[in-house]
Amino acid sequence: MSIYVSGSLAFDRIMTFPGSFQDHILMDKLHMINVSFMVDGMDERRGGCAGNIAYSLALLGEKPTIVAAAGRDFGPYAIVLENMGLPLEGIRRAEEIFTALCYITTDLNSNQITGFYPGAMSLPADYSFPAIDADKDIAIISPGNVEDMRRLPGFYREKGVPYIFDPGQQLPVLTGNDLLAAIEGSFACITNDYELNMICKATGKSEDELVGRTLWLVTTLGADGALVRGADGTETRIPSVPPRQVLDPTGAGDAHRAGLLKGLLHGLAMPEAAKLGSVSASFCLEKMGTQEHEYSPEVFRQRYEAVFGPLPEGILA
């Protein structure tokens, strides 16, 4: 069984603003906005959607193949991935360019303003998938190189591999036709509620119409958990799992995807797999950065069972 995770690899520079953005933005002057936020902290961390998802999958005992591109400064990041037992053959290394770099500023209300330099992410991953197996494998297309995001849905459909489409931060550069082509025939489309509204606007389709093009429409709702809607008309609310503390919301969505993929790979139905996603996300919230959280299988089990009851057999070693 293999998991293919395509998307971005990046270094995140995470900054905290000790106030609220809305107190410093004049709504009637948005056409000429000129704002500077003095931050009181900055950390540089490993990040990128593909890296974040793969990291949390590794914590859950999986060894996904990362399908992405990285630059000449990727060496220290690669060492960490290797030490976690993650394969690197799906990562294109471009020595003539830097790895993508993300600047994230978070205010006291967990609102975020992000600036992103694509760097090596501007290059397609160019991976040949030599060992792909439609009967055992699953894939997720997360925000990353746009060419990959346009190409991979058709590739996975042709190979018969179920895939999850997660457009996220790349929604502004994907056309309505791009989105419909990717969602059509997917196993699932996963977004937060704001992103789902953006998809509906770009495609001219309602949420109900989108459900008809994919087997599952999963909408994450932050502290309100997630809504899982199936093409068969089912609708399930999945509660969030309380973290011990909330230090940084960055990467929680990627951790959620990892838990969900873990459940699907082991045969759980989407609503049950989404419960693993909620647990996985809760650990990420407790640390600054997207790949700083850690837990043992037993700690994960305890947190799952405190909210959802007994964990299905065979999920964790």
Side-chain angles (χ1 to χ4, degrees):
M1 298 184 292
S2 296
I3 305 174
Y4 295 98
V5 181
S6 65
S8 59
L9 289 167
F11 290 104
D12 292 338
R13 288 184 176 171
I14 302 171
M15 294 162 280
T16 53
F17 173 61
S20 175
F21 293 143
Q22 66 180 10
D23 294 338
H24 303 273
I25 296 175
L26 302 176
M27 298 306 293
D28 61 339
K29 299 293 184 181
L30 290 179
H31 64 290
M32 53 183 294
I33 190 168
N34 186 355
V35 181
S36 176
F37 297 105
M38 184 69 72
V39 300
D40 64 357
M42 192 279 284
D43 287 294
E44 182 171 279
R45 310 283 186 175
R46 301 179 310 277
C49 295
N52 296 341
I53 295 170
Y55 175 87
S56 282
L57 279 167
L59 293 180
L60 290 166
E62 302 297 334
K63 307 301 178 190
T65 297
I66 300 170
V67 181
R72 62 175 179 257
D73 54 344
F74 189 64
Y77 198 150
I79 291 171
V80 173
L81 297 178
E82 285 183 316
N83 288 342
M84 297 187 76
L86 292 170
L88 303 183
E89 64 265 21
I91 301 174
R92 176 179 179 177
R93 301 289 288 272
E95 295 302 325
E96 73 279 8
I97 196 169
F98 288 104
T99 303
L101 182 60
C102 188
Y103 290 87
I104 304 167
T105 305
T106 304
D107 74 1
L108 293 180
N109 297 318
S110 294
N111 297 308
Q112 294 182 318
I113 295 175
T114 301
F116 191 76
Y117 162 69
M121 198 187 80
S122 61
L123 303 172
D126 199 27
Y127 182 58
S128 63
F129 298 88
I132 200 163
D133 187 338
D135 295 327
K136 297 180 180 180
D137 298 343
I138 190 169
I140 183 168
I141 302 166
S142 69
N145 175 265
V146 175
E147 184 178 332
D148 285 338
M149 295 184 74
R150 289 172 175 150
R151 177 182 63 87
L152 288 174
F155 171 81
Y156 289 134
R157 285 195 299 267
E158 178 185 343
K159 297 296 183 181
V161 174
Y163 69 91
I164 296 171
F165 184 60
D166 171 20
Q169 300 97 316
Q170 291 294 57
L171 277 168
V173 296
L174 293 168
T175 68
N177 287 337
D178 290 335
L179 294 168
L180 287 177
I183 294 170
E184 187 75 48
S186 62
F187 180 78
C189 177
I190 182 167
T191 66
N192 61 36
D193 52 344
Y194 184 83
E195 293 162 351
L196 180 57
N197 288 332
M198 290 180 67
I199 291 175
C200 290
K201 181 178 180 180
T203 62
K205 304 296 182 183
S206 67
E207 294 181 18
D208 289 341
E209 288 174 314
L210 292 176
V211 174
R213 293 171 179 263
T214 182
L215 289 180
W216 297 98
L217 190 65
V218 181
T219 311
T220 57
L221 304 169
D224 293 325
L227 176 62
V228 178
R229 284 171 281 188
D232 58 0
T234 58
E235 188 171 301
T236 308
R237 288 270 181 176
I238 308 298
S240 62
V241 172
R244 291 175 302 170
Q245 59 182 347
V246 177
L247 287 185
D248 181 14
T250 313
D254 295 328
H256 182 278
R257 274 86 167 144
L260 186 148
L261 282 163
K262 172 72 173 182
L264 293 175
L265 192 68
H266 288 267
L268 296 185
M270 181 63 81
E272 297 302 310
K275 295 177 182 179
L276 292 176
S278 287
V279 179
S280 181
S282 72
F283 288 102
C284 184
L285 290 167
E286 296 173 350
K287 297 288 186 177
M288 286 293 300
T290 59
Q291 298 178 30
E292 306 302 321
H293 53 292
E294 295 180 347
Y295 49 80
S296 66
E298 184 55 32
V299 169
F300 188 96
R301 179 187 299 276
Q302 290 172 358
R303 189 169 293 191
Y304 177 99
E305 294 185 345
V307 177
F308 300 114
L311 181 70
E313 292 295 326
I315 298 299
L316 297 178

